[in-house]
Amino acid sequence: MTQTAELIGPVTQLKGVGPRLAARLERLGIRVAQDVLFHLPARYQDRTRLVPIGALSVGDQAVIEGEVQLTELRYGKRPTLLSRVSDGTGSITLRFFHFNAKQRDALQRGVRLRCYGEVRSGAVTLEMVHPEYRPVSADAMNGDEIEETLTPIYPTTEGLHQLTLRNLTGQTLARLNDGAGVEDWLPAELLATLRLPDLAAALRYVHRPPVDAPVDELLAGRHPTQQRLAFEELLAHHLSLRQLRARVERHRAPVLRGPGELFADLQQSLPFRLTGAQQRVIGEIAADLQRAHPMQRLVQGDVGSGKTLVAAAAVLAAVEAGYQAAVMAPTELLAEQHWRNFGAWLAPLGVRIDSLAGKLKASARTAAIARLASGETQVAVGTHALFQDEVNFKKLGLVVIDEQHRFGVHQRLALWEKGNDSGRYPHQLIMTATPIPRTLAMTAYADLDVSVIDELPPGRQPVETVVVPGSRRDEVVQRVKLACRDGRQAYWVCTLIEESEVLQCQAAEDTVVILAEALPDLRVALVHGRMKGTEKEAVMMAFKAGDIDLLVATTVIEVGVDVPNASLMVIENAERLGLAQLHQLRGRVGRGNQKSACVLMYQPPLSRQGRARLATLRETNDGFEIARRDLEIRGPGEVLGTRQSGLLQLKIADVLRDQALIPKVDAAAQRLLRDYPSHVAPLIRRWLGEAVQFGDV
Ligand code: ADP
Ligand code: MG
């Protein structure tokens, strides 16, 4: 295929593309001519119908046509040109902040205009701000036709116009029509089973939808041609993660049999029995650890489902086999808590456990590092301080990462690399309390095996959740008083509009004074992110020991803190937090077996999203259901966290909309790997570019 070469030549072979334009295109990932075709429209504008002004509503993007009734210049804070246009069904105001005399003259009374823009509400009529417009003549039918097809709108970058992108897609499509090729990496028989069109047809359609295209389907992204491309894109992402997985899989890892006697001893010492779900997941982990290749397993479990114990089982398996284990947490507070929890469980078994917190004194740190390097320390707990350069393990067999969404893929792999001991790599266990809907997990975590702890320890009662306006604060304070008088403990969480940690801490400092005054019989204390590690720890320990009744806190307590006697949580300005964060916070109560409650206070008025979020929390305690709705409200990028979302920067697919495709993607990936292995690399390159190499692991 000599002609194929044309479309894989550099983009400068297209007419009008010089070095400057090429540099801009490069920013969009467009390097060769073919890339232009895979730079897909982000959306479409519908300029195919003329909308009567009387039928417009706010938010519409529409083409209208009417006669100028009046044009006037207003001198307010900034000069504004206003033009009233009517078409017999209604009138609308065109508003311009930038204009010149020529423009002003062109908008004379009686002129007929065709305009395109977004409809907004205005003081008197609806408005369009800086619409596109041009004069048309009332009688002439020719030359003034409205667009016949939907107008594609491309993602772009500074200094690159839509028209330029349209022109370039036009050129490449023309070559395609002349017989130049783009290779279809999806085998024909696969497309036939899925009833999806071939690649060239799909590309032509989405760049230049034909006149009779079903507009609504296309605007919604559900047209078969779009679905075909979305499918291919999801497949490419899936394959790239699988490739990453396969690369890790090729390495060797120590065979860890267990969990054996140590874990049996631990179980003996516990006042409770493992849940069925914990047992099952521990079994899945044990099976992985016995293989001579690195485990890569993600354990998802709702807050309070008992992930720590599952991690302890894996840690003990490593220790028993003579290896070290590292437990990594996303915050100092959580690392300290893990250190205590694991310490309480493991030290009595004779296991030597050490903390490598970020804020250790230099001498203590040097000593801790030496104990790790000599192998004296068997289990190390810490934050990302664990994978700094000067930290070395003697014989690292297992890495446990808690709350995975805070660490990116790269950090995860960096820690893993650390364990490389003459070609042997540690096993990895990743735990997250932010459950991710199955379909999303299949896309985002295709490089991991997934276990789910889908059962809470018995006796847990759902947290009763109420939503109250800030004006009822006094009642809430009374409620705290009653709960603590009954020997329970409570959290009061402060949030703030500003993202600033300083201000958030200040608000907590003010609140603690006010609450201590209002509740003189209670022991009230404060914990926030700017306190020293040792101070924080002292307060948390006192709270855990029951020496504090009411703990005022910033959102630092979000993850992991475990005080079973705390049965009431008040969250101020709850409307400002996301669903997942609220669910995590709420998970700090309801950990014992008494009835617990969470009071979500908000400042009216609530936005629609804010209302939806708070209602969701009131209605359900199920982390998976909450995650599903969070995905609906915020979309996958946000749900997965910023670091992780880089993996899911999709051009055309939409994980939510295209959910139904995802199981088919999985099957197609297997088929491609088996029957068409040579298609895999070019398919990934086409959609993800050269950037996605994840280091050489
Ligand atoms: P998370 O999954 O949120 O990390 P934790 O591991 O902190 O949950 O466990 C929450 C609480 O439940 C802890 O106090 C823990 O000791 C307790 N727990 C764990 N497993 C069980 C069980 N099988 N039965 C009763 N309590 C349990
Ligand atoms: Mg936890």
Side-chain angles (χ1 to χ4, degrees), residues 3 173-180 204:
Q3 277 156 319
L173 287 171
R175 296 198 185 188
L176 200 60
N177 291 339
D178 289 346
R204 278 191 202 101

Coordinates of all heavy atoms in Angstrom, one line a residue, residues 3 173-180 204:
Q3 N 0.0 4.1 -1.0 CA -0.7 5.3 -0.7 C -0.9 5.6 0.8 O -1.1 6.7 1.2 CB -2.1 5.3 -1.4 CG -2.0 5.7 -2.8 CD -3.1 5.2 -3.7 OE1 -3.5 4.0 -3.5 NE2 -3.7 6.0 -4.5
L173 N -9.4 14.0 4.5 CA -10.6 13.2 4.0 C -10.6 13.1 2.5 O -10.9 12.0 2.0 CB -11.9 13.9 4.5 CG -12.2 13.7 6.0 CD1 -13.5 14.6 6.3 CD2 -12.5 12.3 6.4
A174 N -10.2 14.2 1.8 CA -10.1 14.1 0.4 C -9.1 13.0 -0.1 O -9.3 12.3 -1.0 CB -9.7 15.5 -0.2
R175 N -8.0 13.0 0.6 CA -7.0 11.9 0.3 C -7.5 10.5 0.6 O -7.2 9.6 -0.1 CB -5.7 12.1 1.1 CG -5.0 13.4 0.7 CD -3.6 13.4 1.2 NE -3.0 14.7 0.9 CZ -1.7 15.0 1.1 NH1 -1.0 14.0 1.5 NH2 -1.3 16.1 0.8
L176 N -8.3 10.5 1.6 CA -8.9 9.2 2.0 C -9.8 8.7 0.9 O -9.8 7.6 0.4 CB -9.7 9.4 3.3 CG -10.0 8.1 4.1 CD1 -8.7 7.4 4.6 CD2 -10.8 8.6 5.4
N177 N -10.6 9.7 0.4 CA -11.5 9.4 -0.7 C -10.7 9.0 -2.0 O -11.2 8.2 -2.8 CB -12.4 10.6 -1.0 CG -13.4 10.8 0.1 OD1 -13.6 9.9 0.9 ND2 -13.9 12.0 0.3
D178 N -9.5 9.6 -2.1 CA -8.7 9.3 -3.3 C -8.0 7.9 -3.2 O -7.1 7.6 -4.0 CB -7.7 10.3 -3.6 CG -8.3 11.6 -4.1 OD1 -9.5 11.5 -4.5 OD2 -7.7 12.7 -4.0
G179 N -8.3 7.2 -2.1 CA -7.7 5.9 -2.0 C -6.5 5.8 -1.0 O -6.0 4.7 -0.8
A180 N -6.1 6.9 -0.4 CA -5.1 6.8 0.6 C -5.7 6.0 1.8 O -6.9 6.1 2.0 CB -4.6 8.1 1.1
R204 N -15.2 9.5 8.1 CA -15.8 10.4 7.2 C -17.1 11.0 7.8 O -17.4 12.2 7.8 CB -16.3 9.7 5.9 CG -15.1 9.6 4.9 CD -15.6 9.2 3.6 NE -14.5 8.6 2.9 CZ -14.3 7.3 2.8 NH1 -15.1 6.4 3.2 NH2 -13.2 6.9 2.2

